[in-house]
Amino acid sequence: QLGYKPELTREPPLEGVTTASTFVLDQPRCVFTDYGNADIWLVVALDQAASTFNNSEGPGTAATAFQSFPDPVRAYMTLNATLGSYPCPKRDGDITVLRVGSETSCAQDTTRPTCNGPLPHPGPYRVKFLALQGSEPVAETAWSVPITLRQAKSPDSIPTTGSGHSAGMIAITTILSILFAILLAGLVAMLVFWGSGSCSGSSAFSKPEAVSVRRYNTHHVYDQPAARL
Amino acid sequence: MAKSDDCLHILQGLLVFGNVVIGMCGIALTAECIYFVSDPNGLYSLLKATENSDIYAAAWIGIFVGLALFALSILGIIGVIKASRTLLLLYIILMVITFAFEMASCITAATGQDSLTPELFQKKMLERYQKSEPANNSDREVTKTWDEFMLQNHCCGVKGPSDWQEYTSAFRVTHSDADYPWPRMCCVLDAKGLPVNLDGCKLGVSGYYNSNGCYDAISGPVSTHAWGVAWFGFAILCWTFCVLLGTMFYWSGIEY
Protein backbone atom coordinates (compact mmCIF):
# COMPACT_ATOMS: atom_id res chain seq x y z
CA GLN A 1 0.00 0.00 0.00
CA LEU A 2 1.37 3.41 -0.99
CA GLY A 3 1.24 6.37 1.31
CA TYR A 4 -0.36 8.73 -1.23
CA LYS A 5 -3.85 9.96 -0.40
CA PRO A 6 -6.03 11.17 -3.27
CA GLU A 7 -7.34 14.62 -2.68
CA LEU A 8 -9.50 17.30 -4.27
CA THR A 9 -7.61 19.73 -6.47
CA ARG A 10 -6.52 22.79 -4.57
CA GLU A 11 -4.07 24.28 -7.03
CA PRO A 12 -5.17 25.99 -9.28
CA PRO A 13 -8.37 27.01 -7.48
CA LEU A 14 -11.31 25.74 -9.49
CA GLU A 15 -14.85 27.01 -9.24
CA GLY A 16 -16.18 23.59 -10.10
CA VAL A 17 -13.97 21.54 -7.77
CA THR A 18 -17.16 20.09 -6.38
CA THR A 19 -20.52 20.45 -8.04
CA ALA A 20 -23.76 18.66 -7.32
CA SER A 21 -22.71 15.52 -9.19
CA THR A 22 -19.00 15.78 -9.97
CA PHE A 23 -15.73 16.43 -8.21
CA VAL A 24 -12.17 17.02 -9.31
CA LEU A 25 -9.13 15.08 -8.07
CA ASP A 26 -5.44 15.63 -8.58
CA GLN A 27 -3.91 13.10 -10.95
CA PRO A 28 -1.67 10.57 -9.18
CA ARG A 29 1.58 11.82 -10.67
CA CYS A 30 4.85 10.25 -9.52
CA VAL A 31 2.94 7.81 -7.34
CA PHE A 32 2.94 4.55 -9.29
CA THR A 33 6.43 4.93 -10.74
CA ASP A 34 7.42 1.36 -9.86
CA TYR A 35 4.46 -0.18 -11.65
CA GLY A 36 5.02 0.67 -15.28
CA ASN A 37 2.92 -2.19 -16.62
CA ALA A 38 -0.09 -1.76 -14.43
CA ASP A 39 -3.52 -0.37 -15.17
CA ILE A 40 -4.42 2.31 -12.70
CA TRP A 41 -8.07 2.42 -11.71
CA LEU A 42 -9.99 4.84 -9.56
CA VAL A 43 -12.26 3.25 -6.97
CA VAL A 44 -15.17 5.39 -5.82
CA ALA A 45 -16.98 4.08 -2.78
CA LEU A 46 -19.64 5.20 -0.38
CA ASP A 47 -18.08 6.42 2.83
CA GLN A 48 -19.36 3.46 4.86
CA ALA A 49 -18.39 0.91 2.19
CA ALA A 50 -14.75 1.98 1.97
CA SER A 51 -13.48 -0.33 4.65
CA THR A 52 -15.29 -3.37 3.22
CA PHE A 53 -14.04 -2.98 -0.35
CA ASN A 54 -12.33 -6.07 -1.73
CA ASN A 55 -9.39 -5.30 -4.02
CA SER A 56 -9.89 -8.53 -5.97
CA GLU A 57 -13.21 -7.34 -7.35
CA GLY A 58 -12.47 -6.93 -11.00
CA PRO A 59 -13.31 -3.78 -12.90
CA GLY A 60 -16.05 -4.01 -15.48
CA THR A 61 -17.93 -6.70 -13.62
CA ALA A 62 -21.44 -6.49 -12.26
CA ALA A 63 -20.06 -6.09 -8.75
CA THR A 64 -18.28 -2.85 -9.65
CA ALA A 65 -20.53 -1.51 -12.40
CA PHE A 66 -21.26 2.20 -12.22
CA GLN A 67 -24.83 1.77 -13.41
CA SER A 68 -25.70 -0.23 -10.28
CA PHE A 69 -24.18 2.33 -7.95
CA PRO A 70 -25.11 3.09 -5.13
CA ASP A 71 -27.51 0.22 -4.71
CA PRO A 72 -26.66 -2.71 -4.72
CA VAL A 73 -23.11 -1.85 -5.80
CA ARG A 74 -21.49 0.24 -3.09
CA ALA A 75 -18.18 0.95 -4.79
CA TYR A 76 -17.41 1.19 -8.49
CA MET A 77 -14.24 1.35 -10.55
CA THR A 78 -13.63 3.78 -13.35
CA LEU A 79 -11.09 6.08 -15.08
CA ASN A 80 -8.79 3.36 -16.31
CA ALA A 81 -5.34 4.68 -17.29
CA THR A 82 -1.78 3.51 -17.70
CA LEU A 83 1.29 5.08 -16.20
CA GLY A 84 1.91 6.83 -19.52
CA SER A 85 -1.12 9.00 -18.87
CA TYR A 86 0.43 10.28 -15.69
CA PRO A 87 3.98 11.26 -16.69
CA CYS A 88 6.37 12.13 -13.95
CA PRO A 89 7.48 14.79 -13.15
CA LYS A 90 4.57 17.05 -13.73
CA ARG A 91 5.27 19.89 -16.17
CA ASP A 92 4.87 23.31 -14.62
CA GLY A 93 1.79 25.11 -15.82
CA ASP A 94 -0.12 21.96 -16.76
CA ILE A 95 -3.43 21.48 -15.10
CA THR A 96 -3.42 17.83 -14.09
CA VAL A 97 -6.84 16.88 -12.85
CA LEU A 98 -9.33 14.10 -13.08
CA ARG A 99 -12.98 15.04 -13.22
CA VAL A 100 -15.07 12.31 -11.64
CA GLY A 101 -18.57 12.28 -13.05
CA SER A 102 -18.01 13.94 -16.40
CA GLU A 103 -19.36 11.26 -18.73
CA THR A 104 -23.08 11.65 -19.06
CA SER A 105 -23.57 9.66 -22.25
CA CYS A 106 -22.93 6.25 -20.72
CA ALA A 107 -24.60 6.81 -17.35
CA GLN A 108 -27.49 4.50 -18.22
CA ASP A 109 -25.56 2.20 -20.57
CA THR A 110 -25.07 -1.15 -18.85
CA THR A 111 -22.65 -2.25 -21.57
CA ARG A 112 -20.21 0.30 -20.16
CA PRO A 113 -19.82 -0.65 -16.52
CA THR A 114 -16.66 1.41 -16.14
CA CYS A 115 -18.44 4.60 -17.09
CA ASN A 116 -17.28 7.75 -15.32
CA GLY A 117 -20.83 8.85 -14.79
CA PRO A 118 -22.25 11.66 -12.63
CA LEU A 119 -22.65 10.82 -9.00
CA PRO A 120 -26.23 10.26 -7.95
CA HIS A 121 -26.30 11.97 -4.54
CA PRO A 122 -24.17 14.34 -2.49
CA GLY A 123 -22.24 11.57 -0.72
CA PRO A 124 -20.02 11.46 1.24
CA TYR A 125 -17.70 9.36 -0.93
CA ARG A 126 -14.16 8.09 -0.54
CA VAL A 127 -11.79 7.31 -3.39
CA LYS A 128 -8.51 5.50 -3.88
CA PHE A 129 -6.33 4.51 -6.80
CA LEU A 130 -5.74 0.82 -7.44
CA ALA A 131 -3.06 -0.57 -9.77
CA LEU A 132 -3.91 -3.88 -11.38
CA GLN A 133 -1.46 -6.02 -13.31
CA GLY A 134 -3.55 -8.37 -15.34
CA SER A 135 -6.27 -8.82 -12.79
CA GLU A 136 -3.95 -8.90 -9.79
CA PRO A 137 -3.95 -5.86 -7.55
CA VAL A 138 -0.31 -4.84 -7.10
CA ALA A 139 -0.55 -1.44 -5.45
CA GLU A 140 -3.10 0.87 -3.98
CA THR A 141 -3.15 4.30 -2.42
CA ALA A 142 -4.81 5.14 0.86
CA TRP A 143 -8.48 6.06 0.95
CA SER A 144 -9.13 9.76 0.67
CA VAL A 145 -10.94 11.77 3.29
CA PRO A 146 -14.74 11.72 2.81
CA ILE A 147 -15.77 13.98 -0.07
CA THR A 148 -19.17 15.61 0.12
CA LEU A 149 -20.71 17.23 -2.92
CA ARG A 150 -22.72 20.44 -3.08
CA GLN A 151 -26.40 20.37 -2.41
CA ALA A 152 -28.68 22.81 -4.14
CA LYS A 153 -31.43 24.56 -2.25
CA SER A 154 -34.70 25.64 -3.72
CA PRO A 155 -34.81 29.25 -4.97
CA ASP A 156 -37.87 29.75 -2.79
CA SER A 157 -35.49 29.87 0.14
CA ILE A 158 -33.96 33.12 -1.13
CA PRO A 159 -35.16 35.88 1.18
CA THR A 160 -36.72 38.64 -0.87
CA THR A 161 -38.32 40.65 1.89
CA GLY A 162 -37.68 44.27 1.15
CA SER A 163 -34.49 45.80 2.36
CA GLY A 164 -36.43 48.52 4.05
CA HIS A 165 -36.64 52.11 3.02
CA SER A 166 -33.51 54.11 2.69
CA ALA A 167 -33.05 57.40 4.47
CA GLY A 168 -33.06 59.24 1.16
CA MET A 169 -36.46 57.97 0.16
CA ILE A 170 -37.98 58.87 3.52
CA ALA A 171 -36.47 62.35 3.36
CA ILE A 172 -37.79 62.96 -0.14
CA THR A 173 -41.27 61.77 0.76
CA THR A 174 -41.66 63.77 3.97
CA ILE A 175 -40.19 67.00 2.69
CA LEU A 176 -42.15 66.94 -0.55
CA SER A 177 -45.37 66.13 1.28
CA ILE A 178 -44.88 69.07 3.61
CA LEU A 179 -44.09 71.43 0.73
CA PHE A 180 -47.09 70.22 -1.21
CA ALA A 181 -49.34 70.70 1.80
CA ILE A 182 -48.12 74.27 2.24
CA LEU A 183 -48.72 75.02 -1.42
CA LEU A 184 -52.24 73.65 -1.25
CA ALA A 185 -52.93 75.70 1.85
CA GLY A 186 -51.63 78.81 0.11
CA LEU A 187 -53.73 78.11 -2.96
CA VAL A 188 -56.86 77.62 -0.87
CA ALA A 189 -56.13 80.86 1.01
CA MET A 190 -55.72 82.67 -2.30
CA LEU A 191 -59.01 81.42 -3.67
CA VAL A 192 -60.85 82.25 -0.46
CA PHE A 193 -59.58 85.80 -0.46
CA TRP A 194 -60.07 86.40 -4.16
CA GLY A 195 -61.85 89.62 -4.77
CA SER A 196 -61.81 90.71 -1.17
CA GLY A 197 -59.08 92.98 0.16
CA SER A 198 -55.65 91.48 0.02
CA CYS A 199 -53.55 90.73 3.07
CA SER A 200 -50.58 92.86 2.29
CA GLY A 201 -52.34 96.17 1.70
CA SER A 202 -54.20 97.12 -1.35
CA SER A 203 -51.95 99.83 -2.49
CA ALA A 204 -48.68 97.87 -2.18
CA PHE A 205 -48.40 97.20 -5.88
CA SER A 206 -50.23 99.09 -8.48
CA LYS A 207 -50.83 97.96 -11.96
CA PRO A 208 -48.32 99.60 -14.24
CA GLU A 209 -51.08 100.95 -16.47
CA ALA A 210 -50.17 103.47 -19.01
CA VAL A 211 -51.77 106.61 -17.68
CA SER A 212 -52.53 108.94 -20.45
CA VAL A 213 -52.42 112.56 -19.54
CA ARG A 214 -54.52 114.78 -21.63
CA ARG A 215 -53.22 118.22 -22.03
CA TYR A 216 -55.73 120.75 -21.18
CA ASN A 217 -55.38 123.91 -23.11
CA THR A 218 -56.97 126.54 -20.97
CA HIS A 219 -57.53 130.19 -21.65
CA HIS A 220 -54.66 131.04 -19.38
CA VAL A 221 -52.09 129.55 -21.65
CA TYR A 222 -53.31 131.44 -24.60
CA ASP A 223 -53.61 134.61 -22.55
CA GLN A 224 -50.00 134.64 -21.46
CA PRO A 225 -48.37 135.84 -24.63
CA ALA A 226 -51.08 138.45 -24.94
CA ALA A 227 -50.33 139.70 -21.43
CA ARG A 228 -46.65 140.13 -22.12
CA LEU A 229 -47.09 142.13 -25.16
CA MET B 1 -44.68 105.44 -3.97
CA ALA B 2 -41.13 105.12 -5.14
CA LYS B 3 -40.31 102.62 -2.41
CA SER B 4 -43.18 100.28 -3.24
CA ASP B 5 -42.30 100.65 -6.91
CA ASP B 6 -38.83 99.41 -6.12
CA CYS B 7 -40.29 96.54 -4.11
CA LEU B 8 -42.52 95.77 -7.01
CA HIS B 9 -39.69 95.74 -9.49
CA ILE B 10 -37.47 93.63 -7.28
CA LEU B 11 -40.17 91.06 -6.69
CA GLN B 12 -41.04 90.99 -10.36
CA GLY B 13 -37.39 90.55 -11.23
CA LEU B 14 -37.00 87.73 -8.75
CA LEU B 15 -40.08 85.96 -10.00
CA VAL B 16 -39.00 86.29 -13.62
CA PHE B 17 -35.58 84.95 -12.71
CA GLY B 18 -37.18 82.10 -10.76
CA ASN B 19 -39.33 81.20 -13.72
CA VAL B 20 -36.42 81.29 -16.13
CA VAL B 21 -34.56 78.82 -13.90
CA ILE B 22 -37.65 76.61 -13.73
CA GLY B 23 -37.93 76.66 -17.51
CA MET B 24 -34.31 75.65 -18.00
CA CYS B 25 -34.53 72.95 -15.35
CA GLY B 26 -37.66 71.65 -17.02
CA ILE B 27 -35.79 71.24 -20.28
CA ALA B 28 -32.89 69.57 -18.46
CA LEU B 29 -35.26 67.18 -16.70
CA THR B 30 -36.91 66.25 -20.00
CA ALA B 31 -33.55 65.63 -21.62
CA GLU B 32 -32.31 63.53 -18.71
CA CYS B 33 -35.46 61.44 -18.60
CA ILE B 34 -35.40 60.87 -22.36
CA TYR B 35 -31.84 59.60 -21.96
CA PHE B 36 -32.88 57.16 -19.26
CA VAL B 37 -35.93 55.95 -21.15
CA SER B 38 -33.78 55.28 -24.22
CA ASP B 39 -32.09 52.61 -22.08
CA PRO B 40 -28.51 52.68 -23.35
CA ASN B 41 -27.47 49.73 -21.16
CA GLY B 42 -30.24 47.39 -22.20
CA LEU B 43 -31.55 47.01 -18.67
CA TYR B 44 -35.24 47.53 -19.27
CA SER B 45 -36.08 43.92 -20.13
CA LEU B 46 -34.19 42.65 -17.09
CA LEU B 47 -36.05 45.01 -14.82
CA LYS B 48 -39.33 44.16 -16.45
CA ALA B 49 -38.61 40.47 -15.80
CA THR B 50 -38.25 41.18 -12.10
CA GLU B 51 -41.39 43.29 -12.16
CA ASN B 52 -39.40 46.24 -10.99
CA SER B 53 -39.70 48.73 -13.78
CA ASP B 54 -41.14 51.55 -11.65
CA ILE B 55 -38.05 53.55 -12.35
CA TYR B 56 -38.97 53.72 -16.01
CA ALA B 57 -42.48 54.89 -15.15
CA ALA B 58 -40.91 57.65 -13.07
CA ALA B 59 -38.72 58.65 -16.02
CA TRP B 60 -41.69 58.78 -18.36
CA ILE B 61 -43.57 61.06 -15.98
CA GLY B 62 -40.43 63.17 -15.74
CA ILE B 63 -40.41 63.78 -19.49
CA PHE B 64 -43.88 65.26 -19.49
CA VAL B 65 -43.40 67.18 -16.27
CA GLY B 66 -40.28 68.77 -17.69
CA LEU B 67 -42.13 70.01 -20.75
CA ALA B 68 -45.00 71.24 -18.59
CA LEU B 69 -42.57 73.14 -16.36
CA PHE B 70 -41.05 74.84 -19.38
CA ALA B 71 -44.43 75.89 -20.77
CA LEU B 72 -45.69 77.05 -17.40
CA SER B 73 -42.57 79.06 -16.72
CA ILE B 74 -43.24 81.06 -19.88
CA LEU B 75 -46.81 81.59 -18.77
CA GLY B 76 -45.52 82.69 -15.40
CA ILE B 77 -43.11 85.21 -16.87
CA ILE B 78 -45.87 86.75 -18.98
CA GLY B 79 -48.23 86.81 -16.02
CA VAL B 80 -45.71 88.49 -13.73
CA ILE B 81 -44.76 91.18 -16.21
CA LYS B 82 -48.35 91.96 -17.09
CA ALA B 83 -49.39 91.60 -13.41
CA SER B 84 -52.55 89.88 -14.55
CA ARG B 85 -54.48 88.19 -11.76
CA THR B 86 -56.16 85.62 -13.97
CA LEU B 87 -52.99 84.54 -15.72
CA LEU B 88 -51.16 84.19 -12.45
CA LEU B 89 -54.00 82.25 -10.85
CA LEU B 90 -54.03 79.86 -13.79
CA TYR B 91 -50.25 79.60 -13.52
CA ILE B 92 -50.38 78.75 -9.83
CA ILE B 93 -53.09 76.12 -10.19
CA LEU B 94 -51.34 74.37 -13.08
CA MET B 95 -48.03 74.54 -11.28
CA VAL B 96 -49.49 72.88 -8.21
CA ILE B 97 -50.80 70.06 -10.39
CA THR B 98 -47.40 69.67 -12.05
CA PHE B 99 -45.81 69.72 -8.60
CA ALA B 100 -48.01 66.80 -7.59
CA PHE B 101 -46.99 64.76 -10.63
CA GLU B 102 -43.31 65.45 -10.18
CA MET B 103 -43.62 64.52 -6.53
CA ALA B 104 -45.10 61.17 -7.57
CA SER B 105 -42.24 60.65 -9.99
CA CYS B 106 -39.55 61.37 -7.38
CA ILE B 107 -41.07 59.14 -4.77
CA THR B 108 -41.57 56.32 -7.30
CA ALA B 109 -37.97 56.54 -8.44
CA ALA B 110 -36.65 56.53 -4.87
CA THR B 111 -38.86 53.61 -3.83
CA GLY B 112 -38.10 51.64 -6.98
CA GLN B 113 -34.41 51.98 -6.35
CA ASP B 114 -34.77 50.77 -2.78
CA SER B 115 -36.56 47.62 -3.82
CA LEU B 116 -33.78 46.43 -6.10
CA THR B 117 -31.82 43.76 -4.27
CA PRO B 118 -29.56 41.04 -5.66
CA GLU B 119 -31.75 38.41 -4.04
CA LEU B 120 -34.73 39.52 -6.07
CA PHE B 121 -32.81 39.24 -9.32
CA GLN B 122 -31.41 35.88 -8.28
CA LYS B 123 -34.80 34.45 -7.55
CA LYS B 124 -36.35 35.64 -10.81
CA MET B 125 -33.39 34.49 -12.85
CA LEU B 126 -33.35 31.03 -11.31
CA GLU B 127 -37.06 30.65 -11.81
CA ARG B 128 -37.26 31.84 -15.39
CA TYR B 129 -33.94 31.52 -17.21
CA GLN B 130 -34.14 28.75 -19.80
CA LYS B 131 -37.51 27.66 -18.49
CA SER B 132 -38.61 25.00 -20.94
CA GLU B 133 -42.16 24.24 -20.03
CA PRO B 134 -44.44 25.88 -19.86
CA ALA B 135 -42.50 28.51 -21.71
CA ASN B 136 -44.40 31.63 -22.49
CA ASN B 137 -43.14 34.63 -24.38
CA SER B 138 -41.99 36.54 -21.37
CA ASP B 139 -39.84 33.61 -20.21
CA ARG B 140 -38.17 33.46 -23.62
CA GLU B 141 -37.65 37.19 -23.39
CA VAL B 142 -36.01 36.79 -19.99
CA THR B 143 -33.68 34.08 -21.33
CA LYS B 144 -32.72 36.16 -24.33
CA THR B 145 -32.08 39.23 -22.20
CA TRP B 146 -29.91 37.38 -19.70
CA ASP B 147 -27.93 35.74 -22.49
CA GLU B 148 -27.24 39.05 -24.19
CA PHE B 149 -26.44 40.72 -20.90
CA MET B 150 -24.03 38.02 -19.77
CA LEU B 151 -22.33 38.05 -23.16
CA GLN B 152 -21.94 41.82 -23.32
CA ASN B 153 -20.81 42.34 -19.76
CA HIS B 154 -18.70 39.20 -19.37
CA CYS B 155 -20.48 38.19 -16.23
CA CYS B 156 -22.36 35.14 -15.00
CA GLY B 157 -25.49 34.92 -12.92
CA VAL B 158 -26.33 37.54 -10.34
CA LYS B 159 -23.70 36.91 -7.68
CA GLY B 160 -21.55 34.53 -9.75
CA PRO B 161 -21.63 31.07 -11.35
CA SER B 162 -22.20 29.61 -7.90
CA ASP B 163 -25.82 30.82 -8.19
CA TRP B 164 -26.41 27.82 -10.43
CA GLN B 165 -24.76 25.46 -7.98
CA GLU B 166 -26.26 26.72 -4.76
CA TYR B 167 -29.86 26.67 -5.93
CA THR B 168 -31.98 24.48 -8.12
CA SER B 169 -33.41 26.30 -11.10
CA ALA B 170 -35.46 25.98 -14.25
CA PHE B 171 -32.13 25.73 -16.05
CA ARG B 172 -31.12 22.71 -13.98
CA VAL B 173 -34.28 20.86 -14.95
CA THR B 174 -33.22 20.62 -18.59
CA HIS B 175 -29.43 20.76 -18.26
CA SER B 176 -27.58 18.16 -16.21
CA ASP B 177 -25.16 19.34 -13.61
CA ALA B 178 -22.27 17.30 -14.99
CA ASP B 179 -22.53 18.76 -18.49
CA TYR B 180 -23.63 22.25 -17.51
CA PRO B 181 -22.50 23.29 -14.05
CA TRP B 182 -23.45 26.76 -15.27
CA PRO B 183 -24.85 28.03 -18.56
CA ARG B 184 -22.63 28.09 -21.62
CA MET B 185 -22.99 31.85 -21.73
CA CYS B 186 -20.79 32.00 -18.65
CA CYS B 187 -17.88 30.57 -20.64
CA VAL B 188 -15.41 32.78 -22.43
CA LEU B 189 -16.59 32.55 -26.02
CA ASP B 190 -14.64 32.96 -29.23
CA ALA B 191 -15.69 34.90 -32.29
CA LYS B 192 -18.03 32.15 -33.45
CA GLY B 193 -19.85 31.98 -30.14
CA LEU B 194 -18.35 28.69 -29.02
CA PRO B 195 -16.52 28.25 -25.72
CA VAL B 196 -12.77 28.71 -26.07
CA ASN B 197 -12.16 25.72 -23.81
CA LEU B 198 -15.25 23.80 -22.82
CA ASP B 199 -13.53 21.59 -20.28
CA GLY B 200 -11.82 24.58 -18.74
CA CYS B 201 -15.17 26.28 -18.49
CA LYS B 202 -16.86 23.27 -16.91
CA LEU B 203 -14.06 22.88 -14.40
CA GLY B 204 -14.07 26.54 -13.57
CA VAL B 205 -10.50 27.37 -14.53
CA SER B 206 -10.06 31.10 -14.33
CA GLY B 207 -9.63 32.58 -17.76
CA TYR B 208 -12.08 30.22 -19.42
CA TYR B 209 -15.20 31.30 -17.62
CA ASN B 210 -16.67 34.53 -16.27
CA SER B 211 -16.38 34.38 -12.53
CA ASN B 212 -17.99 37.67 -11.55
CA GLY B 213 -21.68 38.25 -11.10
CA CYS B 214 -23.79 40.59 -13.18
CA TYR B 215 -25.30 42.47 -10.27
CA ASP B 216 -22.72 45.24 -10.32
CA ALA B 217 -23.30 45.81 -14.01
CA ILE B 218 -27.01 46.14 -13.30
CA SER B 219 -27.07 48.13 -10.12
CA GLY B 220 -24.58 50.78 -11.22
CA PRO B 221 -26.58 52.26 -14.09
CA VAL B 222 -29.89 51.72 -12.34
CA SER B 223 -28.71 53.62 -9.28
CA THR B 224 -27.49 56.53 -11.38
CA HIS B 225 -30.77 56.56 -13.22
CA ALA B 226 -32.93 56.48 -10.13
CA TRP B 227 -30.93 59.08 -8.25
CA GLY B 228 -30.85 61.33 -11.29
CA VAL B 229 -34.61 61.32 -11.55
CA ALA B 230 -35.36 61.40 -7.83
CA TRP B 231 -32.88 63.97 -6.55
CA PHE B 232 -32.85 66.30 -9.51
CA GLY B 233 -36.64 66.29 -9.39
CA PHE B 234 -36.47 67.02 -5.67
CA ALA B 235 -34.19 69.99 -6.25
CA ILE B 236 -36.47 71.39 -8.96
CA LEU B 237 -39.45 71.00 -6.68
CA CYS B 238 -37.81 72.86 -3.83
CA TRP B 239 -36.99 75.73 -6.13
CA THR B 240 -40.48 75.67 -7.63
CA PHE B 241 -41.95 75.78 -4.14
CA CYS B 242 -40.11 79.03 -3.39
CA VAL B 243 -41.11 80.59 -6.70
CA LEU B 244 -44.73 79.61 -6.17
CA LEU B 245 -44.80 81.11 -2.70
CA GLY B 246 -43.36 84.31 -4.12
CA THR B 247 -45.95 84.30 -6.89
CA MET B 248 -48.78 83.79 -4.42
CA PHE B 249 -47.51 86.72 -2.39
CA TYR B 250 -47.21 88.83 -5.53
CA TRP B 251 -50.69 87.84 -6.70
CA SER B 252 -52.28 88.76 -3.43
CA GLY B 253 -50.72 92.18 -3.67
CA ILE B 254 -51.93 93.04 -7.14
CA GLU B 255 -54.66 95.62 -7.20
CA TYR B 256 -57.79 94.32 -8.69
Side-chain angles (χ1 to χ4, degrees):
Chain A
Q1 205 198 37
L2 305 169
Y4 176 76
K5 209 173 194 180
E7 51 179 35
L8 291 174
T9 304
R10 276 202 297 261
E11 192 54 50
L14 298 176
E15 177 88 34
V17 64
T18 56
T19 69
S21 60
T22 68
F23 59 93
V24 182
L25 295 172
D26 276 330
Q27 286 179 359
R29 296 281 179 117
C30 307
V31 173
F32 292 98
T33 40
D34 294 335
Y35 305 94
N37 292 334
D39 286 329
I40 305 170
W41 291 86
L42 178 71
V43 182
V44 180
L46 296 174
D47 189 18
Q48 315 92 292
S51 45
T52 56
F53 180 72
N54 186 347
N55 279 349
S56 334
E57 302 273 8
T61 62
T64 55
F66 167 76
Q67 286 78 14
S68 312
F69 183 78
D71 185 59
V73 168
R74 305 195 46 194
Y76 68 97
M77 298 175 72
T78 182
L79 277 176
N80 176 22
T82 57
L83 196 56
S85 312
Y86 304 140
C88 181
K90 175 168 111 68
R91 270 207 312 257
D92 266 343
D94 273 359
I95 299 178
T96 55
V97 296
L98 290 174
R99 189 159 181 250
V100 179
S102 59
E103 284 188 86
T104 47
S105 52
C106 56
Q108 309 295 330
D109 186 358
T110 46
T111 62
R112 299 254 339 257
T114 56
C115 180
N116 180 19
L119 295 157
H121 60 75
Y125 304 99
R126 297 178 81 171
V127 299
K128 73 173 179 182
F129 290 98
L130 185 60
L132 296 177
Q133 207 147 19
S135 53
E136 278 299 306
V138 293
E140 62 173 1
T141 64
W143 285 103
S144 67
V145 295
I147 297 171
T148 313
L149 302 180
R150 295 171 84 152
Q151 277 172 288
K153 303 189 283 268
S154 161
D156 295 330
S157 64
I158 302 177
T160 52
T161 52
S163 59
H165 299 294
S166 66
M169 179 251 164
I170 294 182
I172 288 183
T173 311
T174 39
I175 294 178
L176 287 185
S177 309
I178 294 173
L179 295 186
F180 189 60
I182 297 176
L183 280 184
L184 277 183
L187 183 63
V188 165
M190 270 173 53
L191 293 175
V192 163
F193 290 121
W194 189 357
S196 64
S198 65
C199 308
S200 55
S202 46
S203 60
F205 313 123
S206 50
K207 270 182 136 169
E209 274 175 48
V211 181
S212 56
V213 179
R214 276 195 291 150
R215 292 188 131 251
Y216 286 95
N217 288 322
T218 64
H219 324 298
H220 309 284
V221 175
Y222 285 123
D223 274 344
Q224 284 283 13
R228 269 201 276 144
L229 285 172
Chain B
M1 217 39 198
K3 192 169 176 216
S4 72
D5 257 354
D6 278 343
C7 265
L8 162 73
H9 288 312
I10 291 175
L11 187 58
Q12 273 186 329
L14 283 177
L15 288 178
V16 168
F17 171 69
N19 277 301
V20 165
V21 171
I22 290 180
M24 294 194 307
C25 287
I27 297 286
L29 183 67
T30 301
E32 184 196 18
C33 289
I34 289 180
Y35 173 69
F36 287 137
V37 166
S38 72
D39 196 22
N41 296 304
L43 288 170
Y44 177 64
S45 340
L46 269 183
L47 289 179
K48 197 154 74 97
T50 57
E51 283 122 34
N52 230 319
S53 51
D54 285 344
I55 296 181
Y56 284 90
W60 274 106
I61 298 178
I63 294 178
F64 295 113
V65 163
L67 291 175
L69 283 177
F70 178 68
L72 285 179
S73 70
I74 296 180
L75 175 68
I77 292 174
I78 297 175
V80 162
I81 292 181
K82 285 174 79 163
S84 146
R85 273 201 147 196
T86 25
L87 273 186
L88 284 180
L89 183 64
L90 183 66
Y91 165 79
I92 290 174
I93 292 177
L94 289 179
M95 263 297 201
V96 168
I97 295 175
T98 311
F99 190 99
F101 273 101
E102 179 59 19
M103 193 168 95
S105 163
C106 287
I107 294 177
T108 309
T111 324
Q113 216 248 319
D114 275 352
S115 64
L116 281 184
T117 50
E119 285 76 34
L120 191 64
F121 277 105
Q122 249 183 335
K123 192 161 183 172
K124 291 293 173 187
M125 178 188 77
L126 291 167
E127 282 172 7
R128 302 178 79 181
Y129 179 74
Q130 299 260 15
K131 188 165 171 190
S132 60
E133 63 175 280
N136 52 27
N137 264 338
S138 72
D139 289 333
R140 276 187 275 270
E141 198 53 50
V142 167
T143 302
K144 198 160 79 82
T145 310
W146 270 107
D147 280 339
E148 275 169 11
F149 199 80
M150 291 200 283
L151 186 64
Q152 258 177 357
N153 295 285
H154 305 291
C155 58
C156 183
V158 173
K159 290 193 191 161
S162 55
D163 285 349
W164 307 103
Q165 286 293 315
E166 274 179 56
Y167 299 98
T168 60
S169 54
F171 174 76
R172 188 55 68 224
V173 168
T174 43
H175 296 81
S176 72
D177 173 79
D179 281 332
Y180 295 90
W182 33 78
R184 286 283 181 267
M185 276 304 171
C186 293
C187 301
V188 173
L189 302 175
D190 61 15
K192 289 204 209 77
L194 297 170
V196 167
N197 186 330
L198 186 58
D199 287 323
C201 179
K202 284 199 243 178
L203 281 174
V205 181
S206 71
Y208 295 118
Y209 79 117
N210 299 318
S211 55
N212 47 316
C214 293
Y215 186 66
D216 288 332
I218 296 172
S219 72
V222 167
S223 280
T224 323
H225 172 153
W227 283 67
V229 172
W231 287 101
F232 186 48
F234 179 72
I236 293 178
L237 286 183
C238 288
W239 180 266
T240 309
F241 173 75
C242 299
V243 171
L244 279 181
L245 276 189
T247 313
M248 287 183 188
F249 178 68
Y250 179 72
W251 182 89
S252 61
I254 298 177
E255 255 179 14
Y256 203 80

